[in-house]
Amino acid sequence: MSTEKCFAKGSPAPGPVPKDHIRIYSMRFCPFAQRTRLVLNAKGIKHDTININLKDKPDWFLEKNPLGLVPTLETPAGEVIYESPITCEYLDEVYPENQLLPSTPFAKAQQRMMLEHFSKVVPYFYKIPTGRNKGEDVSGLETELKQKFAKLNEDLVNKKTQFFGGDTITMIDYMMWPFFERLEIFELKHCLDSTPELKKWTEHMSEDPTVKATRHSMDTYKGFYKTYTEGNPNYDYGL
Amino acid sequence: MSTEKCFAKGSPAPGPVPKDHIRIYSMRFCPFAQRTRLVLNAKGIKHDTININLKDKPDWFLEKNPLGLVPTLETPAGEVIYESPITCEYLDEVYPENQLLPSTPFAKAQQRMMLEHFSKVVPYFYKIPTGRNKGEDVSGLETELKQKFAKLNEDLVNKKTQFFGGDTITMIDYMMWPFFERLEIFELKHCLDSTPELKKWTEHMSEDPTVKATRHSMDTYKGFYKTYTEGNPNYDYGL
């Protein structure tokens, strides 16, 4: 059995976290878990992955994290960390190689403020597809999303950099990326049409080896999202 | 004119931030701004305070922070930082004296996870008084709040410590405190009746010199909240 397959209620608990590894409890298609997977990959951190059936969670998972959230990290010492930005900052602090957050307190605060702004953009990626599926008029929401994208575009124009934290990828890029990777599945790619710098950013991000290593093919995404919108997500889709 | 008085639209901009100082844009009764005021005070950071009329914000303030939020910090170099947890972590990083966040990445992550939990408690402090003022039945919301308090109480019982990060006050205590300071004004003090450890925590916190230095008298709080609930907040109440 591939270890990529998800663990559901009743499945035997995985063994202890191997020494010198960290474990991520994940779901293959979750954009929040992908943030942590991006950071694990970008920093070359040895880890194992336990995918969770989010509709039918194992009891042993809920014992580790009563909120039942992915991503959740577990260390060999049994320390449990969750909430995607917290897991990512934790990893960046514990594993010094390839630092993703800037070192100065102000630059770090700037990335946190950007992430806070972006957290107000995230709901659109859910509200628009859901509304559309119900046959609602989502043009107002799309206009709002385009305005949010225009702000991000302006930010890149002002900074004159390829990425949001400079000319190399930093933490904030990986925090935002998973939602942009899904624009096509959400049928929202046209929302980038008036924001050329942001569009260029998505193109640069697509070429990043870490991004390539953590993403699924568009067909796999589409297949999963079909089962998801039908109310019966197949977390093992494509395996 | 006392510098505690708030600046409204049309009022002249304050001068530059004095060298070796940091400036906080605040509102005397805002619990989020109080978080930053607590940290500034606990760490003995030289600062000046500019109170903002939140109903009628000066243009020069909106130029510094287009979101118009308090707390906002400004450095002599013109760097602007906002969102209360971000301002507090920034201060703790820049000013090493009296470190409020723990030094290990896991203990830091634990405080951030606690704060994330607590952010789901905060809305009750608004929903209950607002509902009550409208004559709604808020007993269900009060029961939910008591359940949240029971979790916090359990946490203190499990840790066997006076405060949430150990036997001395750390960042997480200051992040939660402003809302507990207002329990009496919100007529929610009885919600602590079944959570003795949490109640004891509020008593220990009340004795902290930093808490004492940043709070108003109960009469002043009540006077302000009366004007606030009437829809015409007097930000200079009691001056």
Side-chain angles (χ1 to χ4, degrees):
Chain A
M1 188 181 104
S2 160
T3 53
E4 280 281 289
K5 288 211 172 168
C6 71
F7 286 66
K9 200 182 183 75
S11 56
V17 180
K19 229 187 130 215
D20 299 328
H21 274 61
I22 193 159
R23 173 172 291 163
I24 177 172
Y25 297 93
S26 184
M27 189 280 270
R28 293 164 60 233
F29 302 103
C30 169
F32 298 98
Q34 194 184 354
R35 287 175 164 172
T36 315
R37 290 164 53 225
L38 285 162
V39 171
L40 285 164
N41 189 294
K43 296 178 70 77
I45 299 168
K46 284 186 200 161
H47 63 282
D48 71 359
T49 305
I50 303 292
N51 287 310
I52 298 294
N53 183 322
L54 296 182
K55 274 249 178 177
D56 192 24
K57 297 170 189 171
D59 292 336
W60 48 258
F61 177 59
L62 292 168
E63 275 162 32
K64 290 187 197 295
N65 180 354
L67 300 174
L69 297 171
V70 297
T72 289
L73 292 176
E74 186 182 8
T75 69
E79 293 160 336
V80 167
I81 304 115
Y82 47 85
E83 293 293 342
S84 61
I86 301 175
T87 62
C88 294
E89 287 212 16
Y90 170 84
L91 291 173
D92 206 39
E93 231 175 312
V94 173
Y95 300 89
E97 57 272 47
N98 190 14
Q99 211 66 44
L100 291 172
L101 272 172
S103 57
T104 73
F106 179 59
K108 219 181 278 183
Q110 280 182 306
Q111 294 227 346
R112 288 182 181 142
M113 290 188 275
M114 272 205 74
L115 184 59
E116 187 61 35
H117 286 187
F118 188 71
S119 72
K120 280 144 199 155
V121 183
V122 168
Y124 289 89
F125 300 112
Y126 295 89
K127 281 192 279 181
I128 297 175
T130 309
R132 206 191 278 126
N133 283 338
K134 289 186 194 156
E136 290 167 10
D137 176 13
V138 293
S139 57
L141 287 172
E142 286 193 359
T143 305
E144 288 176 37
L145 181 61
K146 283 179 201 164
Q147 286 161 353
K148 307 273 181 198
F149 282 2
K151 280 268 171 213
L152 291 172
N153 194 72
E154 196 186 309
D155 197 29
L156 286 171
V157 170
N158 292 340
K159 284 177 176 155
K160 297 186 181 66
T161 55
Q162 271 187 28
F163 300 101
F164 284 98
D167 277 322
T168 56
I169 294 180
T170 60
M171 188 65 93
I172 187 64
D173 301 295
Y174 285 139
M175 295 298 101
M176 301 200 298
W177 172 251
F179 302 92
F180 287 90
E181 184 168 298
R182 288 155 178 79
L183 281 185
E184 189 177 329
I185 319 155
F186 297 154
E187 296 173 45
L188 286 171
K189 250 195 144 165
H190 65 280
C191 290
L192 284 175
D193 287 348
S194 320
T195 51
E197 294 307 313
L198 186 62
K199 195 171 186 177
K200 241 184 266 170
W201 173 80
T202 66
E203 289 157 9
H204 293 310
M205 288 298 290
S206 301
E207 287 157 21
D208 176 55
T210 290
V211 163
K212 285 182 179 168
T214 66
R215 86 173 145 210
H216 302 285
S217 74
M218 211 35 74
D219 280 351
T220 305
Y221 269 132
K222 283 185 179 161
F224 168 72
Y225 274 98
K226 193 169 174 293
T227 69
Y228 176 81
T229 48
E230 287 165 358
N232 198 16
N234 177 3
Y235 299 112
D236 294 335
Y237 189 91
L239 291 180
Chain B
M1 188 184 102
S2 159
T3 52
E4 280 282 287
K5 290 211 172 167
C6 71
F7 286 66
K9 201 182 182 77
S11 55
V17 181
K19 228 187 132 213
D20 298 329
H21 274 59
I22 193 158
R23 173 173 292 162
I24 176 171
Y25 296 93
S26 183
M27 189 281 271
R28 291 164 61 233
F29 302 103
C30 170
F32 298 98
Q34 194 185 352
R35 287 174 163 174
T36 315
R37 289 165 52 226
L38 284 163
V39 171
L40 285 164
N41 189 294
K43 296 178 70 77
I45 299 168
K46 284 185 199 161
H47 63 281
D48 71 359
T49 305
I50 302 292
N51 287 310
I52 298 293
N53 183 322
L54 297 182
K55 275 248 177 178
D56 192 24
K57 298 170 188 172
D59 292 335
W60 47 259
F61 177 59
L62 293 168
E63 275 162 33
K64 290 188 196 296
N65 179 354
L67 300 173
L69 297 171
V70 296
T72 290
L73 292 175
E74 186 182 9
T75 70
E79 293 159 336
V80 167
I81 304 115
Y82 48 86
E83 293 293 342
S84 61
I86 301 174
T87 62
C88 294
E89 288 211 17
Y90 170 83
L91 291 172
D92 206 38
E93 232 176 312
V94 173
Y95 300 89
E97 57 274 43
N98 190 15
Q99 211 65 45
L100 291 172
L101 272 172
S103 56
T104 73
F106 179 59
K108 219 180 279 182
Q110 281 182 305
Q111 294 227 347
R112 287 181 181 145
M113 290 188 275
M114 273 204 72
L115 184 60
E116 188 60 33
H117 286 187
F118 188 70
S119 72
K120 281 145 199 154
V121 183
V122 168
Y124 288 89
F125 301 112
Y126 295 89
K127 280 193 279 180
I128 298 176
T130 310
R132 206 191 278 124
N133 283 339
K134 288 186 196 158
E136 292 168 9
D137 176 12
V138 293
S139 56
L141 287 173
E142 286 194 359
T143 304
E144 288 177 37
L145 181 61
K146 283 179 200 164
Q147 286 162 352
K148 307 271 181 200
F149 281 2
K151 280 268 170 214
L152 291 172
N153 194 71
E154 197 187 309
D155 197 30
L156 286 172
V157 171
N158 291 341
K159 283 178 177 154
K160 297 186 181 63
T161 55
Q162 273 187 28
F163 300 101
F164 283 97
D167 278 321
T168 55
I169 294 180
T170 60
M171 189 65 94
I172 187 63
D173 301 296
Y174 285 139
M175 295 298 102
M176 301 200 298
W177 173 250
F179 302 91
F180 287 91
E181 184 168 298
R182 287 157 179 78
L183 282 185
E184 190 177 328
I185 319 155
F186 296 153
E187 296 172 45
L188 286 171
K189 249 195 146 165
H190 65 280
C191 291
L192 284 175
D193 286 349
S194 319
T195 51
E197 294 308 313
L198 186 62
K199 195 172 184 175
K200 241 184 267 168
W201 172 79
T202 64
E203 288 157 10
H204 292 310
M205 289 297 290
S206 300
E207 288 156 21
D208 176 55
T210 290
V211 163
K212 285 182 178 169
T214 65
R215 86 173 144 213
H216 301 286
S217 75
M218 212 35 74
D219 279 351
T220 305
Y221 268 132
K222 284 184 180 162
F224 168 71
Y225 274 97
K226 193 168 175 295
T227 68
Y228 176 81
T229 48
E230 287 165 357
N232 198 15
N234 177 1
Y235 299 111
D236 294 335
Y237 188 91
L239 290 180

